Amino acid sequence: MPNALVRKLEGYAPLEVSDRERLLNVCEKTAVVEADRYITRAGDSPKDVVVILEGLAVRSKLLRDGRRQILAFLVAGDFCDLHVAVLDRMDHDILAIMPCTVARISRNAVQEMTETRPRLAKALWWCTLVDEATLREWLVNLGQRDAEQRIAHLFCELQTRLQAVELTTDGSFGLPITQDELGDAMGLSAVHVNRSLKALRDAGLVSFRGRTIHIPDIERLQNFADFDPSYLHLRHGPEAESPVPLLRQA
Amino acid sequence: MPNALVRKLEGYAPLEVSDRERLLNVCEKTAVVEADRYITRAGDSPKDVVVILEGLAVRSKLLRDGRRQILAFLVAGDFCDLHVAVLDRMDHDILAIMPCTVARISRNAVQEMTETRPRLAKALWWCTLVDEATLREWLVNLGQRDAEQRIAHLFCELQTRLQAVELTTDGSFGLPITQDELGDAMGLSAVHVNRSLKALRDAGLVSFRGRTIHIPDIERLQNFADFDPSYLHLRHGPEAESPVPLLRQA
DNA sequence: CGAGGAATTGAGAAACTTCAACCGTGGTGG
DNA sequence: CCACCACGGTTGAAGTTTCTCAATTCCTCG
């Protein structure tokens, strides 16, 4: 199975064969983190850069009173902390939601790659900037959209990102999270998440089989959620780069 | 008047004299952007990197239905788009809220600075990462806090950031924005912003004189808002007892 | 089969929005 | 110099969204 990181980076720009080999080489030594284990904690000063090769993790921040906000879902191919090389310490946690296969890349290796391989350097920059753009889009999501649109938007994002690393089949992908976790990501209570999911289901916008999500008509869901994939800056438009029609219905 | 960018970067790590001179040099050619004018538009591929030297601007994203989310307030010393060098085009707008003095630094100059001046390079990285950390904190803010805490948290952040560039006097700083704009930043309606401000005022947590904000007891407000300045990664704790050479006026 | 976690549902309360009216102020033109 | 206008702030009232609490069902796993 080809490496998710390679697939992701090639979704941004073509790599040279030697770049690809270097990446595979650097991802060779892997480890597995069990579900519900922290990959990194706030306050850590991680020595290595961690990449998720398989599984699902979240970036999250805990408040003093115990509430938490999930800031991002990390899927295969995603870096946990590419940046923190520069800052002193992590200001948030990385938590495995399901068992994750991760590779730890030493900072030296990262530095060597970025200094000697301009394409790779650019691709890594891309990752950082897409992470930031995604954060902005989440802010729009929490600030401006109601619960149903919010969740729909997340599903659109995940569908697009997982498709980029070839982890979707048809309009389906696995998302083994609880409604509680979904609530922590969307700034909603679990109960309200539940009701909103029901509404989305009843509207025929999404369906669930076990813990996999099926989107019967992606364009319709994107339209409902006002989802515009351009913030993910993928090279191949996910598919429909047609100008999307306006607004949503009830 | 010493350059806000220099002050800000020195809030992260000490610079060498020649670094400071280079920065001042590169900020020499300034321009003024009037209030309510865009500095950059979504879709642009700006050639230069823009720094705000004076004034107030916002990073914002417009939805198709006309609503908008303000993603960040940009104050003196802040970069508008340090990053976008790498990506193809802006995915959001930068809008001057009050008249802004800006410097446009060519990408070449940025590149030259980062390649030949490690301290400067690190300081610029720092800016990018703090921007990202701030975005994360905003996400927590919108996702987890109610209106009053949310606004209080923003005031704490601005107080801290403005203090870092010596733009506060006592617990006061100017913030010439409308309640409507504040609502767009906080994901709230202008009416609710108004009521929340009233509540904060009645609680004695903040007061307003014209368009300047006064925080009588910063620690109390921080406590109310659950504000922890560490995400801003300032070198000296925001509390001002550090040995900073004080050189400034109004 | 039983236990525990997760999903679902109902009901009442709280937070927030919308609409609409009104106030205050600063700027402009007569 | 004043009348008026426009815009932003303020307030009330009613409606909607979301939350909390609590009970119940469903599912998975041991």
Side-chain angles (χ1 to χ4, degrees):
Chain A
M1 172 205 54
N3 178 296
L5 178 57
V6 171
R7 282 198 302 258
K8 176 177 169 185
L9 296 186
E10 295 205 310
Y12 294 145
L15 295 177
E16 289 166 25
V17 176
S18 75
D19 291 341
R20 219 172 315 166
E21 278 166 4
R22 183 81 181 93
L23 274 177
L24 288 174
N25 174 262
V26 112
C27 288
E28 229 162 40
K29 195 187 49 156
T30 66
V32 173
V33 179
E34 287 173 57
D36 295 320
R37 285 279 157 73
Y38 285 95
I39 296 174
T40 325
R41 302 293 298 259
D44 287 1
S45 308
K47 293 182 311 303
D48 301 326
V49 171
V50 178
V51 190
I52 310 275
L53 295 178
E54 270 180 58
L56 179 66
V58 297
R59 198 184 290 285
S60 70
K61 207 158 176 170
L62 215 54
L63 303 201
R64 278 192 309 215
D65 61 10
R67 285 174 307 166
R68 73 166 170 181
Q69 175 68 38
I70 288 178
L71 303 160
F73 287 102
L74 303 175
V75 305
D78 288 340
F79 287 99
C80 295
D81 42 25
L82 188 48
H83 33 76
V84 191
V86 180
L87 285 188
D88 32 1
R89 53 203 184 73
M90 294 285 287
D91 58 9
H92 59 271
D93 302 307
I94 311 279
L95 174 67
I97 291 290
M98 61 182 279
C100 289
T101 308
V102 304
R104 292 176 196 276
I105 308 176
S106 75
R107 278 192 202 176
N108 286 341
V110 173
Q111 194 175 344
E112 180 266 329
M113 282 194 291
T114 55
E115 281 173 0
T116 64
R117 297 170 182 278
R119 277 166 186 272
L120 222 40
K122 186 162 182 184
L124 294 185
W125 255 108
W126 225 310
C127 291
T128 300
L129 297 180
V130 167
D131 280 357
E132 204 179 316
T134 303
L135 225 34
R136 283 193 293 268
E137 196 60 38
W138 277 46
L139 202 57
V140 174
N141 214 19
L142 293 212
Q144 301 299 328
R145 297 196 253 263
D146 69 18
E148 290 173 36
Q149 274 194 302
R150 219 129 114 184
I151 294 171
H153 194 279
L154 174 68
F155 288 169
C156 289
E157 178 188 307
L158 289 173
Q159 205 283 330
T160 305
R161 286 170 53 197
L162 288 171
Q163 186 171 290
V165 289
E166 295 161 33
L167 247 34
T168 60
T169 21
D170 214 352
S172 297
F173 56 94
L175 187 65
I177 61 173
T178 66
Q179 295 182 357
D180 212 63
E181 288 160 341
L182 191 49
D184 283 349
M186 301 283 92
L188 298 167
S189 70
V191 171
H192 199 58
V193 165
N194 183 289
R195 293 191 223 272
S196 305
L197 286 175
K198 177 171 163 54
L200 290 173
R201 207 185 309 130
D202 290 349
L205 287 164
V206 295
S207 62
F208 313 93
R209 301 190 299 262
R211 286 195 146 167
T212 93
I213 290 178
H214 178 67
I215 303 174
D217 183 342
I218 293 179
E219 201 167 328
R220 195 157 80 90
L221 189 66
Q222 292 189 347
N223 204 50
F224 173 79
D226 187 30
F227 176 78
D228 173 356
S230 60
Y231 71 95
L232 295 170
H233 287 93
L234 295 171
R235 190 158 47 103
H236 350 281
E239 51 234 74
E241 68 256 27
S242 51
V244 192
L246 223 69
L247 281 179
R248 58 167 173 143
Q249 29 58 283
Chain B
M1 174 203 56
N3 179 296
L5 178 57
V6 172
R7 282 198 302 258
K8 177 178 169 185
L9 296 185
E10 296 206 309
Y12 293 145
L15 294 177
E16 288 165 25
V17 177
S18 75
D19 291 341
R20 216 171 316 167
E21 277 166 2
R22 183 81 181 92
L23 274 177
L24 289 173
N25 174 262
V26 113
C27 289
E28 229 163 38
K29 196 186 50 157
T30 67
V32 173
V33 179
E34 287 173 57
D36 295 319
R37 285 279 157 74
Y38 285 95
I39 295 173
T40 325
R41 301 293 297 259
D44 287 1
S45 310
K47 295 181 311 301
D48 303 325
V49 171
V50 178
V51 189
I52 310 277
L53 295 177
E54 270 180 56
L56 180 67
V58 295
R59 197 184 292 283
S60 69
K61 205 155 178 174
L62 216 53
L63 304 201
R64 280 191 306 214
D65 63 8
R67 285 174 307 166
R68 74 167 170 180
Q69 175 68 39
I70 288 177
L71 303 160
F73 287 102
L74 303 175
V75 304
D78 287 341
F79 286 98
C80 295
D81 42 26
L82 188 48
H83 34 74
V84 191
V86 180
L87 286 188
D88 33 0
R89 53 203 183 74
M90 293 285 288
D91 58 9
H92 60 270
D93 303 305
I94 310 280
L95 174 66
I97 292 289
M98 61 181 280
C100 290
T101 307
V102 305
R104 290 175 197 277
I105 309 177
S106 75
R107 277 191 203 178
N108 286 342
V110 173
Q111 194 174 345
E112 178 267 328
M113 281 193 292
T114 56
E115 281 173 1
T116 64
R117 297 169 182 280
R119 278 167 185 270
L120 222 40
K122 187 163 181 183
L124 294 185
W125 254 108
W126 225 310
C127 291
T128 300
L129 297 181
V130 167
D131 281 357
E132 204 180 315
T134 303
L135 225 33
R136 283 194 293 267
E137 196 60 39
W138 277 47
L139 201 59
V140 174
N141 214 19
L142 293 211
Q144 302 299 330
R145 296 196 254 262
D146 69 17
E148 290 173 35
Q149 274 194 302
R150 217 128 116 185
I151 295 171
H153 194 279
L154 174 68
F155 288 169
C156 288
E157 177 187 308
L158 288 173
Q159 206 281 329
T160 305
R161 286 170 54 197
L162 287 170
Q163 186 172 292
V165 289
E166 295 161 34
L167 248 33
T168 59
T169 19
D170 214 353
S172 298
F173 57 93
L175 187 66
I177 62 172
T178 65
Q179 295 182 355
D180 212 61
E181 288 159 340
L182 192 48
D184 284 348
M186 301 284 93
L188 298 167
S189 70
V191 171
H192 199 59
V193 165
N194 183 291
R195 292 190 225 272
S196 305
L197 286 174
K198 179 172 162 51
L200 289 174
R201 207 186 308 129
D202 290 350
L205 288 165
V206 295
S207 63
F208 313 94
R209 300 190 301 261
R211 287 193 145 169
T212 95
I213 290 179
H214 177 67
I215 303 175
D217 182 342
I218 293 179
E219 201 167 328
R220 195 157 79 89
L221 188 66
Q222 293 189 348
N223 204 52
F224 173 79
D226 187 30
F227 176 79
D228 173 356
S230 61
Y231 71 94
L232 296 170
H233 292 272
L234 296 170
R235 190 160 45 107
H236 351 280
E239 305 306 307
E241 83 272 17
S242 50
V244 191
L246 289 181
L247 36 100
R248 70 169 297 267
Q249 31 49 282

PDB file of all heavy atoms in Angstrom, chain B residues 129-155:
ATOM      1  N   LEU B 129       3.845  31.112  13.236  1.00  0.00           N
ATOM      2  CA  LEU B 129       3.338  30.118  14.173  1.00  0.00           C
ATOM      3  C   LEU B 129       2.440  30.738  15.224  1.00  0.00           C
ATOM      4  O   LEU B 129       1.469  30.123  15.673  1.00  0.00           O
ATOM      5  CB  LEU B 129       4.505  29.384  14.819  1.00  0.00           C
ATOM      6  CG  LEU B 129       5.342  28.597  13.809  1.00  0.00           C
ATOM      7  CD1 LEU B 129       6.473  27.877  14.501  1.00  0.00           C
ATOM      8  CD2 LEU B 129       4.477  27.624  13.037  1.00  0.00           C
ATOM      9  N   VAL B 130       2.743  31.962  15.602  1.00  0.00           N
ATOM     10  CA  VAL B 130       1.878  32.636  16.569  1.00  0.00           C
ATOM     11  C   VAL B 130       0.533  32.956  15.909  1.00  0.00           C
ATOM     12  O   VAL B 130      -0.517  32.826  16.531  1.00  0.00           O
ATOM     13  CB  VAL B 130       2.555  33.900  17.124  1.00  0.00           C
ATOM     14  CG1 VAL B 130       1.553  34.766  17.864  1.00  0.00           C
ATOM     15  CG2 VAL B 130       3.701  33.506  18.041  1.00  0.00           C
ATOM     16  N   ASP B 131       0.569  33.338  14.655  1.00  0.00           N
ATOM     17  CA  ASP B 131      -0.689  33.545  13.936  1.00  0.00           C
ATOM     18  C   ASP B 131      -1.528  32.283  13.980  1.00  0.00           C
ATOM     19  O   ASP B 131      -2.731  32.326  14.215  1.00  0.00           O
ATOM     20  CB  ASP B 131      -0.420  33.900  12.461  1.00  0.00           C
ATOM     21  CG  ASP B 131      -0.036  35.358  12.299  1.00  0.00           C
ATOM     22  OD1 ASP B 131      -0.037  36.089  13.306  1.00  0.00           O
ATOM     23  OD2 ASP B 131       0.259  35.759  11.164  1.00  0.00           O
ATOM     24  N   GLU B 132      -0.873  31.173  13.749  1.00  0.00           N
ATOM     25  CA  GLU B 132      -1.610  29.916  13.725  1.00  0.00           C
ATOM     26  C   GLU B 132      -2.133  29.568  15.120  1.00  0.00           C
ATOM     27  O   GLU B 132      -3.279  29.144  15.266  1.00  0.00           O
ATOM     28  CB  GLU B 132      -0.687  28.811  13.207  1.00  0.00           C
ATOM     29  CG  GLU B 132      -1.452  27.655  12.598  1.00  0.00           C
ATOM     30  CD  GLU B 132      -0.519  26.570  12.089  1.00  0.00           C
ATOM     31  OE1 GLU B 132       0.494  26.907  11.434  1.00  0.00           O
ATOM     32  OE2 GLU B 132      -0.810  25.390  12.362  1.00  0.00           O
ATOM     33  N   ALA B 133      -1.306  29.770  16.117  1.00  0.00           N
ATOM     34  CA  ALA B 133      -1.745  29.486  17.483  1.00  0.00           C
ATOM     35  C   ALA B 133      -2.918  30.389  17.858  1.00  0.00           C
ATOM     36  O   ALA B 133      -3.841  29.978  18.565  1.00  0.00           O
ATOM     37  CB  ALA B 133      -0.582  29.691  18.455  1.00  0.00           C
ATOM     38  N   THR B 134      -2.884  31.600  17.362  1.00  0.00           N
ATOM     39  CA  THR B 134      -3.963  32.539  17.661  1.00  0.00           C
ATOM     40  C   THR B 134      -5.263  32.070  17.022  1.00  0.00           C
ATOM     41  O   THR B 134      -6.335  32.121  17.621  1.00  0.00           O
ATOM     42  CB  THR B 134      -3.589  33.940  17.162  1.00  0.00           C
ATOM     43  OG1 THR B 134      -2.361  34.326  17.759  1.00  0.00           O
ATOM     44  CG2 THR B 134      -4.665  34.945  17.513  1.00  0.00           C
ATOM     45  N   LEU B 135      -5.131  31.587  15.803  1.00  0.00           N
ATOM     46  CA  LEU B 135      -6.291  31.023  15.122  1.00  0.00           C
ATOM     47  C   LEU B 135      -6.873  29.878  15.939  1.00  0.00           C
ATOM     48  O   LEU B 135      -8.092  29.760  16.104  1.00  0.00           O
ATOM     49  CB  LEU B 135      -5.816  30.510  13.770  1.00  0.00           C
ATOM     50  CG  LEU B 135      -6.595  30.776  12.495  1.00  0.00           C
ATOM     51  CD1 LEU B 135      -7.297  32.104  12.508  1.00  0.00           C
ATOM     52  CD2 LEU B 135      -5.661  30.670  11.297  1.00  0.00           C
ATOM     53  N   ARG B 136      -6.010  29.023  16.454  1.00  0.00           N
ATOM     54  CA  ARG B 136      -6.500  27.911  17.268  1.00  0.00           C
ATOM     55  C   ARG B 136      -7.225  28.427  18.501  1.00  0.00           C
ATOM     56  O   ARG B 136      -8.280  27.927  18.872  1.00  0.00           O
ATOM     57  CB  ARG B 136      -5.332  27.008  17.698  1.00  0.00           C
ATOM     58  CG  ARG B 136      -4.836  26.086  16.601  1.00  0.00           C
ATOM     59  CD  ARG B 136      -3.934  24.994  17.174  1.00  0.00           C
ATOM     60  NE  ARG B 136      -2.686  25.531  17.692  1.00  0.00           N
ATOM     61  CZ  ARG B 136      -1.559  25.629  16.997  1.00  0.00           C
ATOM     62  NH1 ARG B 136      -1.505  25.207  15.747  1.00  0.00           N
ATOM     63  NH2 ARG B 136      -0.484  26.133  17.541  1.00  0.00           N
ATOM     64  N   GLU B 137      -6.657  29.451  19.104  1.00  0.00           N
ATOM     65  CA  GLU B 137      -7.282  29.986  20.304  1.00  0.00           C
ATOM     66  C   GLU B 137      -8.637  30.608  19.978  1.00  0.00           C
ATOM     67  O   GLU B 137      -9.584  30.500  20.758  1.00  0.00           O
ATOM     68  CB  GLU B 137      -6.356  31.017  20.948  1.00  0.00           C
ATOM     69  CG  GLU B 137      -6.700  31.356  22.369  1.00  0.00           C
ATOM     70  CD  GLU B 137      -6.661  30.151  23.297  1.00  0.00           C
ATOM     71  OE1 GLU B 137      -5.764  29.302  23.140  1.00  0.00           O
ATOM     72  OE2 GLU B 137      -7.544  30.064  24.174  1.00  0.00           O
ATOM     73  N   TRP B 138      -8.745  31.226  18.840  1.00  0.00           N
ATOM     74  CA  TRP B 138     -10.031  31.794  18.420  1.00  0.00           C
ATOM     75  C   TRP B 138     -11.054  30.677  18.230  1.00  0.00           C
ATOM     76  O   TRP B 138     -12.231  30.836  18.521  1.00  0.00           O
ATOM     77  CB  TRP B 138      -9.873  32.595  17.126  1.00  0.00           C
ATOM     78  CG  TRP B 138      -9.398  33.993  17.334  1.00  0.00           C
ATOM     79  CD1 TRP B 138      -8.368  34.396  18.121  1.00  0.00           C
ATOM     80  CD2 TRP B 138      -9.947  35.183  16.744  1.00  0.00           C
ATOM     81  NE1 TRP B 138      -8.234  35.759  18.052  1.00  0.00           N
ATOM     82  CE2 TRP B 138      -9.184  36.264  17.212  1.00  0.00           C
ATOM     83  CE3 TRP B 138     -10.991  35.430  15.849  1.00  0.00           C
ATOM     84  CZ2 TRP B 138      -9.446  37.582  16.832  1.00  0.00           C
ATOM     85  CZ3 TRP B 138     -11.248  36.734  15.461  1.00  0.00           C
ATOM     86  CH2 TRP B 138     -10.491  37.803  15.952  1.00  0.00           C
ATOM     87  N   LEU B 139     -10.581  29.585  17.707  1.00  0.00           N
ATOM     88  CA  LEU B 139     -11.487  28.455  17.500  1.00  0.00           C
ATOM     89  C   LEU B 139     -12.019  27.962  18.850  1.00  0.00           C
ATOM     90  O   LEU B 139     -13.215  27.692  19.006  1.00  0.00           O
ATOM     91  CB  LEU B 139     -10.748  27.332  16.770  1.00  0.00           C
ATOM     92  CG  LEU B 139     -11.599  26.301  16.042  1.00  0.00           C
ATOM     93  CD1 LEU B 139     -12.474  26.961  15.001  1.00  0.00           C
ATOM     94  CD2 LEU B 139     -10.720  25.246  15.399  1.00  0.00           C
ATOM     95  N   VAL B 140     -11.146  27.857  19.816  1.00  0.00           N
ATOM     96  CA  VAL B 140     -11.581  27.501  21.165  1.00  0.00           C
ATOM     97  C   VAL B 140     -12.592  28.532  21.656  1.00  0.00           C
ATOM     98  O   VAL B 140     -13.629  28.196  22.228  1.00  0.00           O
ATOM     99  CB  VAL B 140     -10.378  27.455  22.131  1.00  0.00           C
ATOM    100  CG1 VAL B 140     -10.855  27.241  23.558  1.00  0.00           C
ATOM    101  CG2 VAL B 140      -9.403  26.372  21.721  1.00  0.00           C
ATOM    102  N   ASN B 141     -12.291  29.774  21.383  1.00  0.00           N
ATOM    103  CA  ASN B 141     -13.146  30.855  21.845  1.00  0.00           C
ATOM    104  C   ASN B 141     -14.555  30.728  21.276  1.00  0.00           C
ATOM    105  O   ASN B 141     -15.540  30.767  21.992  1.00  0.00           O
ATOM    106  CB  ASN B 141     -12.521  32.183  21.415  1.00  0.00           C
ATOM    107  CG  ASN B 141     -12.752  33.286  22.421  1.00  0.00           C
ATOM    108  OD1 ASN B 141     -13.060  33.033  23.577  1.00  0.00           O
ATOM    109  ND2 ASN B 141     -12.621  34.521  21.984  1.00  0.00           N
ATOM    110  N   LEU B 142     -14.644  30.545  19.981  1.00  0.00           N
ATOM    111  CA  LEU B 142     -15.959  30.438  19.341  1.00  0.00           C
ATOM    112  C   LEU B 142     -16.648  29.131  19.701  1.00  0.00           C
ATOM    113  O   LEU B 142     -17.865  29.076  19.820  1.00  0.00           O
ATOM    114  CB  LEU B 142     -15.842  30.539  17.823  1.00  0.00           C
ATOM    115  CG  LEU B 142     -15.407  31.863  17.223  1.00  0.00           C
ATOM    116  CD1 LEU B 142     -16.036  32.059  15.866  1.00  0.00           C
ATOM    117  CD2 LEU B 142     -15.783  33.006  18.120  1.00  0.00           C
ATOM    118  N   GLY B 143     -15.850  28.100  19.856  1.00  0.00           N
ATOM    119  CA  GLY B 143     -16.462  26.805  20.091  1.00  0.00           C
ATOM    120  C   GLY B 143     -16.943  26.597  21.518  1.00  0.00           C
ATOM    121  O   GLY B 143     -17.921  25.904  21.751  1.00  0.00           O
ATOM    122  N   GLN B 144     -16.258  27.205  22.475  1.00  0.00           N
ATOM    123  CA  GLN B 144     -16.498  26.824  23.862  1.00  0.00           C
ATOM    124  C   GLN B 144     -16.985  27.926  24.784  1.00  0.00           C
ATOM    125  O   GLN B 144     -17.465  27.631  25.871  1.00  0.00           O
ATOM    126  CB  GLN B 144     -15.220  26.220  24.461  1.00  0.00           C
ATOM    127  CG  GLN B 144     -14.706  25.011  23.714  1.00  0.00           C
ATOM    128  CD  GLN B 144     -15.688  23.852  23.694  1.00  0.00           C
ATOM    129  OE1 GLN B 144     -16.467  23.679  24.613  1.00  0.00           O
ATOM    130  NE2 GLN B 144     -15.678  23.072  22.625  1.00  0.00           N
ATOM    131  N   ARG B 145     -16.831  29.175  24.394  1.00  0.00           N
ATOM    132  CA  ARG B 145     -17.171  30.216  25.376  1.00  0.00           C
ATOM    133  C   ARG B 145     -18.421  30.988  24.980  1.00  0.00           C
ATOM    134  O   ARG B 145     -18.696  31.160  23.788  1.00  0.00           O
ATOM    135  CB  ARG B 145     -15.976  31.147  25.542  1.00  0.00           C
ATOM    136  CG  ARG B 145     -14.768  30.418  26.132  1.00  0.00           C
ATOM    137  CD  ARG B 145     -13.718  31.372  26.655  1.00  0.00           C
ATOM    138  NE  ARG B 145     -12.562  31.432  25.782  1.00  0.00           N
ATOM    139  CZ  ARG B 145     -11.445  30.752  25.969  1.00  0.00           C
ATOM    140  NH1 ARG B 145     -11.317  29.948  26.991  1.00  0.00           N
ATOM    141  NH2 ARG B 145     -10.448  30.886  25.127  1.00  0.00           N
ATOM    142  N   ASP B 146     -19.137  31.468  25.961  1.00  0.00           N
ATOM    143  CA  ASP B 146     -20.320  32.254  25.654  1.00  0.00           C
ATOM    144  C   ASP B 146     -19.914  33.686  25.295  1.00  0.00           C
ATOM    145  O   ASP B 146     -18.742  34.050  25.379  1.00  0.00           O
ATOM    146  CB  ASP B 146     -21.316  32.206  26.810  1.00  0.00           C
ATOM    147  CG  ASP B 146     -20.810  32.954  28.029  1.00  0.00           C
ATOM    148  OD1 ASP B 146     -19.867  33.761  27.923  1.00  0.00           O
ATOM    149  OD2 ASP B 146     -21.341  32.723  29.119  1.00  0.00           O
ATOM    150  N   ALA B 147     -20.913  34.455  24.920  1.00  0.00           N
ATOM    151  CA  ALA B 147     -20.634  35.768  24.335  1.00  0.00           C
ATOM    152  C   ALA B 147     -19.750  36.650  25.218  1.00  0.00           C
ATOM    153  O   ALA B 147     -18.778  37.242  24.742  1.00  0.00           O
ATOM    154  CB  ALA B 147     -21.949  36.477  24.025  1.00  0.00           C
ATOM    155  N   GLU B 148     -20.079  36.720  26.490  1.00  0.00           N
ATOM    156  CA  GLU B 148     -19.323  37.640  27.346  1.00  0.00           C
ATOM    157  C   GLU B 148     -17.875  37.213  27.510  1.00  0.00           C
ATOM    158  O   GLU B 148     -16.946  38.018  27.387  1.00  0.00           O
ATOM    159  CB  GLU B 148     -19.993  37.733  28.724  1.00  0.00           C
ATOM    160  CG  GLU B 148     -21.315  38.476  28.662  1.00  0.00           C
ATOM    161  CD  GLU B 148     -22.059  38.414  29.991  1.00  0.00           C
ATOM    162  OE1 GLU B 148     -21.401  38.435  31.045  1.00  0.00           O
ATOM    163  OE2 GLU B 148     -23.307  38.332  29.962  1.00  0.00           O
ATOM    164  N   GLN B 149     -17.669  35.921  27.750  1.00  0.00           N
ATOM    165  CA  GLN B 149     -16.304  35.424  27.877  1.00  0.00           C
ATOM    166  C   GLN B 149     -15.529  35.606  26.585  1.00  0.00           C
ATOM    167  O   GLN B 149     -14.351  35.929  26.583  1.00  0.00           O
ATOM    168  CB  GLN B 149     -16.337  33.929  28.205  1.00  0.00           C
ATOM    169  CG  GLN B 149     -16.463  33.601  29.671  1.00  0.00           C
ATOM    170  CD  GLN B 149     -16.143  32.133  29.889  1.00  0.00           C
ATOM    171  OE1 GLN B 149     -16.787  31.270  29.301  1.00  0.00           O
ATOM    172  NE2 GLN B 149     -15.137  31.848  30.686  1.00  0.00           N
ATOM    173  N   ARG B 150     -16.225  35.356  25.512  1.00  0.00           N
ATOM    174  CA  ARG B 150     -15.627  35.453  24.176  1.00  0.00           C
ATOM    175  C   ARG B 150     -15.069  36.836  23.941  1.00  0.00           C
ATOM    176  O   ARG B 150     -13.906  37.006  23.563  1.00  0.00           O
ATOM    177  CB  ARG B 150     -16.758  35.231  23.173  1.00  0.00           C
ATOM    178  CG  ARG B 150     -16.408  34.474  21.966  1.00  0.00           C
ATOM    179  CD  ARG B 150     -17.420  33.377  21.844  1.00  0.00           C
ATOM    180  NE  ARG B 150     -18.242  33.504  20.642  1.00  0.00           N
ATOM    181  CZ  ARG B 150     -19.272  32.698  20.379  1.00  0.00           C
ATOM    182  NH1 ARG B 150     -19.609  31.754  21.236  1.00  0.00           N
ATOM    183  NH2 ARG B 150     -19.951  32.842  19.285  1.00  0.00           N
ATOM    184  N   ILE B 151     -15.899  37.843  24.187  1.00  0.00           N
ATOM    185  CA  ILE B 151     -15.479  39.218  23.953  1.00  0.00           C
ATOM    186  C   ILE B 151     -14.381  39.593  24.933  1.00  0.00           C
ATOM    187  O   ILE B 151     -13.387  40.225  24.572  1.00  0.00           O
ATOM    188  CB  ILE B 151     -16.694  40.153  24.084  1.00  0.00           C
ATOM    189  CG1 ILE B 151     -17.695  39.836  22.965  1.00  0.00           C
ATOM    190  CG2 ILE B 151     -16.275  41.597  24.034  1.00  0.00           C
ATOM    191  CD1 ILE B 151     -19.023  40.544  23.101  1.00  0.00           C
ATOM    192  N   ALA B 152     -14.549  39.160  26.163  1.00  0.00           N
ATOM    193  CA  ALA B 152     -13.533  39.456  27.165  1.00  0.00           C
ATOM    194  C   ALA B 152     -12.191  38.846  26.753  1.00  0.00           C
ATOM    195  O   ALA B 152     -11.134  39.469  26.904  1.00  0.00           O
ATOM    196  CB  ALA B 152     -13.965  38.901  28.527  1.00  0.00           C
ATOM    197  N   HIS B 153     -12.251  37.647  26.206  1.00  0.00           N
ATOM    198  CA  HIS B 153     -11.019  36.987  25.785  1.00  0.00           C
ATOM    199  C   HIS B 153     -10.344  37.777  24.670  1.00  0.00           C
ATOM    200  O   HIS B 153      -9.126  37.969  24.669  1.00  0.00           O
ATOM    201  CB  HIS B 153     -11.332  35.565  25.313  1.00  0.00           C
ATOM    202  CG  HIS B 153     -10.134  34.687  25.167  1.00  0.00           C
ATOM    203  ND1 HIS B 153      -9.310  34.731  24.062  1.00  0.00           N
ATOM    204  CD2 HIS B 153      -9.597  33.766  25.998  1.00  0.00           C
ATOM    205  CE1 HIS B 153      -8.333  33.850  24.224  1.00  0.00           C
ATOM    206  NE2 HIS B 153      -8.484  33.249  25.387  1.00  0.00           N
ATOM    207  N   LEU B 154     -11.141  38.252  23.738  1.00  0.00           N
ATOM    208  CA  LEU B 154     -10.568  39.065  22.657  1.00  0.00           C
ATOM    209  C   LEU B 154      -9.899  40.308  23.216  1.00  0.00           C
ATOM    210  O   LEU B 154      -8.786  40.663  22.818  1.00  0.00           O
ATOM    211  CB  LEU B 154     -11.666  39.468  21.668  1.00  0.00           C
ATOM    212  CG  LEU B 154     -11.188  40.432  20.583  1.00  0.00           C
ATOM    213  CD1 LEU B 154     -10.218  39.744  19.630  1.00  0.00           C
ATOM    214  CD2 LEU B 154     -12.365  41.009  19.808  1.00  0.00           C
ATOM    215  N   PHE B 155     -10.558  40.959  24.155  1.00  0.00           N
ATOM    216  CA  PHE B 155      -9.976  42.164  24.744  1.00  0.00           C
ATOM    217  C   PHE B 155      -8.659  41.835  25.440  1.00  0.00           C
ATOM    218  O   PHE B 155      -7.696  42.593  25.352  1.00  0.00           O
ATOM    219  CB  PHE B 155     -10.953  42.814  25.721  1.00  0.00           C
ATOM    220  CG  PHE B 155     -12.126  43.479  25.050  1.00  0.00           C
ATOM    221  CD1 PHE B 155     -13.209  43.916  25.792  1.00  0.00           C
ATOM    222  CD2 PHE B 155     -12.151  43.681  23.672  1.00  0.00           C
ATOM    223  CE1 PHE B 155     -14.294  44.537  25.189  1.00  0.00           C
ATOM    224  CE2 PHE B 155     -13.238  44.292  23.051  1.00  0.00           C
ATOM    225  CZ  PHE B 155     -14.316  44.724  23.815  1.00  0.00           C
TER     226      PHE B 155
END
